[in-house]
Amino acid sequence: LDEVLLNLPNLEYLSLSGDMSLTSLRQQRFAVPNVRVLALRRINPIFVRQVCYWSLPSLTHVIVGAPPRAAALDAIWSTFGTTIQGVEFGKHMRYMVEDYVSQCLDLCSELRSLNYYVLFTCPPRVSGAHVYSSLKRVGFNAGCNLSLSAGAGDSQDFKHVAEHIASFTPE
């Protein structure tokens, strides 16, 4: 992967998927100067750590499909959080178990746009919309989550969505 990235200086969109073993981890810091969008489809925490050794000065958007544990993504947000302006979370049940949204908001100081599947994501524990002054848009994507709702228009769905809205509404 390193060789490919080093020889593609104009690469703007990078999609990563797969597992990396600990023996493959290299702390070599090299630049991938034009990558604006980083899509993480299904990668393990070691692969996340490898990405954090790279220099991605143009990175502004991160898409997380099937996520690793939330603690693994801390490294992405901590390393690149000052340049990330947009984050999208996919439709995956792990987002119901761990709070990925609050973690992202806390560590991405320039985040302007956030999109996620509201019925597949636990409500974030944010302390009020005024704290995240850079955030301009929150998109709730639709998607039926059969483990959450009993049927179409179920009141539990509406309660769940209301909790998300309340998370971004100043008190």
Side-chain angles (χ1 to χ4, degrees):
L1 178 61
D2 293 352
E3 294 297 319
V4 171
L5 294 175
L6 288 170
N7 288 297
L8 292 173
N10 296 322
L11 185 67
E12 294 182 15
Y13 185 103
L14 178 59
S15 180
L16 299 173
S17 178
D19 292 330
M20 178 177 274
S21 68
L22 191 55
T23 57
S24 301
L25 183 65
R26 287 172 304 289
Q27 295 181 12
Q28 174 188 1
R29 185 153 179 92
F30 64 88
V32 189
N34 294 315
V35 169
R36 294 179 300 105
V37 179
L38 177 63
L40 306 174
R41 300 295 175 205
R42 188 195 62 80
I43 64 174
N44 66 347
I46 297 169
F47 206 161
V48 170
R49 179 55 57 197
Q50 182 66 66
V51 171
C52 291
Y53 287 125
W54 302 339
S55 172
L56 301 169
S58 300
L59 183 65
T60 59
H61 198 88
V62 176
I63 302 166
V64 185
R69 299 282 315 215
L73 284 182
D74 265 350
I76 294 288
W77 310 140
S78 297
T79 304
F80 305 110
T82 58
T83 64
I84 295 172
Q85 297 176 11
V87 171
E88 296 178 34
F89 292 110
K91 185 166 55 169
H92 196 279
M93 286 303 295
R94 183 169 276 169
Y95 295 121
M96 287 294 287
V97 178
E98 297 182 80
D99 184 4
Y100 287 79
V101 175
S102 297
Q103 174 194 63
C104 174
L105 288 168
D106 289 342
L107 296 172
C108 295
S109 59
E110 299 302 315
L111 190 66
R112 293 185 182 142
S113 176
L114 174 65
N115 291 288
Y116 60 90
Y117 286 84
V118 68
L119 296 178
F120 282 84
T121 306
C122 67
R125 295 180 307 272
V126 295
S127 56
H130 64 280
V131 175
Y132 307 106
S133 58
S134 66
L135 190 62
K136 304 297 181 209
R137 185 175 67 93
V138 177
F140 295 155
N141 297 317
C144 182
N145 183 344
L146 297 177
S147 69
L148 181 66
S149 60
D154 184 50
S155 63
Q156 184 160 344
D157 288 350
F158 294 120
K159 181 181 178 232
H160 186 79
V161 172
E163 289 174 7
H164 282 268
I165 292 170
S167 295
F168 294 101
T169 305
E171 295 176 5

